[in-house]
């Protein structure tokens, strides 16, 4: 369940493109377009059509494929419409017919009377199911809004955070200039998809690809660097926190221990980068991105370094023990 109000009309009005498009249109029951969708799941109502209503998942979107449509036509041909009349006594969000199929006029009349929206798509049942489940999982997923800049560096989604004025936007601007991509500046909305994946995007699509740089002011990244420099959404795979250099703080110089931060119940690798004059923060972040990709492929440079040092110490100690004793004849 989600506390977000999402209606059937919202589902139709979503601006989805290419492989995400649902190709939905309303063919009946328009008065019910304000019905809420509360559960991110589908139901194939063959059991209900046959008159079996025990455990009928009426709270879900009802999906009618070729099998359900064929059975509906048989019932209508035989004049046995009482079963799906009873089905409309349940407050279903909507009924969706795939393969551009349409129900018989009796079905339409009952739907109109109960004010249940009837939608149609030209997609097949399997394709439509996969698309709408992806969409619903994103819409109903837990979300938070954080302050920071989300960029894609060498294919890795990096959330740059830190106190105001530490140089987050300036660092991101340099990364963009070096060929990387901006996802969102200042306010980042993060969704937890499937319970283990964090997807980040701009909280506001209108201002998402604008940046505020002290001096020049507001700049439009798309117009300055082209569409190659932006991305709508990206998985958050690393958090980099910029902080002013503290002279008496003991910073990690080896990186043998992996640090994480929890966002929406998911642990994400975290790196603290101290900022002071002379440090090239964009290059450090690029290096951190490449290092993180190596870790994901099973190579941990710091741990490998420690392992080699231990081998060297052990071998050197063994030689000292061996050569430290006089040979006995």
């Amino acid at each position: 369940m989600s506390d977000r109000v999402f209606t059937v009309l919202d589902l139709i009005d979503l601006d989805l493109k290419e492989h995400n498009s649902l190709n939905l249109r309303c063919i009946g029951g328009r008065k019910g377009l304000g019905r809420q969708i509360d559960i991110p799941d589908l139901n194939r109502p063959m059991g209900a059509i046959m008159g079996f209503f025990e455990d009928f998942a009426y709270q879900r979107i009802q999906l009618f494929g070729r099998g359900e449509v064929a059975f509906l036509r048989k019932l209508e041909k035989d004049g046995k419409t009482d079963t799906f009349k009873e089905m409309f006594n349940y407050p279903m969000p909507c009924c969706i017919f795939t393969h551009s199929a349409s129900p018989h006029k009796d079905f339409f009349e009952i739907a109109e009377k109960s004010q249940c929206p009837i939608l149609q798509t030209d997609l097949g049942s399997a394709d439509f199911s996969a698309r709408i489940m992806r969409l619903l999982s994103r819409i109903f997923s837990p979300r938070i809004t954080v302050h920071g800049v989300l960029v894609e560096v060498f294919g890795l989604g990096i959330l740059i955070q830190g106190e105001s004025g530490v140089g987050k936007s300036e660092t991101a601007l340099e990364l963009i200039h070096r060929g990387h991509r901006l996802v969102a500046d200042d306010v980042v909305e993060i969704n937890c998809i499937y319970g283990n994946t964090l997807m980040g995007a701009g909280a506001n699509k209108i201002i998402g690809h604008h940046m505020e740089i002290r001096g020049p002011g507001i700049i439009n990244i798309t117009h300055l660097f082209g569409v190659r420099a932006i991305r709508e959404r990206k998985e958050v795979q690393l958090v980099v926190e910029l902080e002013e250099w503290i002279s008496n703080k003991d910073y990690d110089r080896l990186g043998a221990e992996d640090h994480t931060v929890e966002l929406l119940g998911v642990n994400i690798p975290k790196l603290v980068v101290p900022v002071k004059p002379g440090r090239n923060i964009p290059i450090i972040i690029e290096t951190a991105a490449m290092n993180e990709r190596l870790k994901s492929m099973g190579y941990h440079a710091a741990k490998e370094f420690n392992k080699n040092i231990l081998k060297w110490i052990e071998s050197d100690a063994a030689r000292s023990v061996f050569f430290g004793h006089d040979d006995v004849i």
Side-chain angles (χ1 to χ4, degrees):
M1 297 291 288
S2 171
D3 57 359
R4 176 174 180 176
V5 176
F6 186 72
T7 67
V8 179
L9 183 60
D10 293 329
L11 178 65
I12 297 174
D13 286 344
L14 288 173
D15 184 21
L16 304 171
K17 298 179 177 62
E18 298 175 354
H19 62 281
N20 290 319
S21 178
L22 300 178
N23 301 341
L24 284 173
R25 64 190 187 97
C26 182
I27 58 175
R30 293 182 180 276
K31 292 182 179 179
L33 287 175
R35 290 194 180 191
Q36 291 187 24
I37 299 173
D38 295 322
I39 297 180
D41 208 346
L42 302 173
N43 182 55
R44 302 294 290 266
M46 181 62 81
I49 297 172
M50 297 174 67
F52 182 76
F53 292 97
E54 186 175 345
D55 295 326
F56 175 38
Y58 65 88
Q59 306 94 332
R60 303 177 183 179
I61 295 172
Q62 305 300 310
L63 186 66
F64 291 75
R66 284 175 173 166
E68 289 82 1
V69 171
F71 196 77
L72 277 178
R73 289 174 178 169
K74 182 180 184 304
L75 290 177
E76 290 166 339
K77 183 179 179 180
D78 297 340
K80 300 176 180 179
T81 59
D82 291 340
T83 54
F84 58 77
K85 282 181 181 179
E86 187 177 351
M87 184 175 69
F88 279 100
N89 290 330
Y90 292 85
M92 302 174 291
C94 64
C95 298
I96 300 179
F97 287 77
T98 59
H99 301 282
S100 297
S102 298
H104 193 267
K105 64 177 182 179
D106 291 342
F107 193 95
F108 274 118
E109 290 174 0
I110 299 170
E112 289 287 348
K113 186 176 180 180
S114 62
Q115 297 185 3
C116 179
I118 306 299
L119 310 182
Q120 184 187 70
T121 177
D122 59 352
L123 298 173
S125 298
D127 190 11
F128 178 80
S129 298
R131 295 188 187 196
I132 196 170
M133 288 305 297
R134 273 200 314 267
L135 171 69
L136 293 176
S137 66
R138 191 182 79 210
I139 290 173
F140 286 86
S141 62
R143 66 189 62 209
I144 56 171
T145 301
V146 299
H147 181 64
V149 185
L150 181 58
V151 291
E152 182 190 62
V153 180
F154 296 131
L156 199 76
I158 300 180
L159 177 63
I160 305 174
Q161 294 188 291
E163 295 293 332
S164 179
V166 77
K168 299 184 296 295
S169 295
E170 289 80 0
T171 299
L173 182 61
E174 175 62 24
L175 288 169
I176 294 166
H177 187 71
R178 297 167 71 91
H180 305 293
R181 298 198 281 183
L182 172 72
V183 182
D185 179 54
D186 193 34
V187 182
V188 182
E189 184 179 80
I190 299 176
N191 293 38
C192 181
I193 308 295
Y194 307 124
N196 59 2
T197 302
L198 298 179
M199 294 298 296
N204 188 318
K205 290 186 177 181
I206 298 176
I207 64 174
H209 294 134
H210 291 72
M211 297 184 72
E212 178 189 353
I213 305 295
R214 289 172 175 81
I218 302 296
I219 60 174
N220 188 316
I221 297 300
T222 309
H223 290 173
L224 284 176
F225 297 93
V227 293
R228 69 169 183 82
I230 62 170
R231 180 166 179 159
E232 294 296 328
R233 300 171 58 81
K234 179 63 184 175
E235 180 182 354
V236 181
Q237 297 159 289
L238 175 65
V239 175
V240 174
E241 183 171 354
L242 305 182
E243 70 172 31
E244 296 287 350
W245 184 288
I246 304 173
S247 58
N248 58 352
K249 182 175 179 178
D250 186 19
Y251 290 104
D252 186 6
R253 301 181 63 180
L254 295 179
E257 294 184 8
D258 293 327
H259 300 280
T260 61
V261 60
E262 184 180 310
L263 297 173
L264 295 173
V266 180
N267 289 322
I268 300 295
K270 179 181 179 180
L271 178 67
V272 176
V273 177
V275 177
K276 73 172 184 178
R279 301 203 83 204
N280 194 325
I281 305 303
I283 286 181
I284 294 175
I285 291 179
E286 283 183 332
T287 305
M290 291 187 287
N291 194 46
E292 195 62 36
R293 293 192 66 181
L294 279 175
K295 289 180 183 179
S296 67
M297 289 185 277
Y299 180 81
H300 197 299
K303 291 181 180 180
E304 189 71 19
F305 177 79
N306 281 348
K307 189 188 299 182
N308 292 335
I309 290 295
L310 288 174
K311 286 182 180 179
W312 178 79
I313 291 174
E314 290 172 359
S315 62
D316 187 62
R319 285 197 300 271
S320 298
V321 171
F322 181 82
F323 291 113
H325 292 80
D326 295 333
D327 292 336
V328 178
I329 300 177

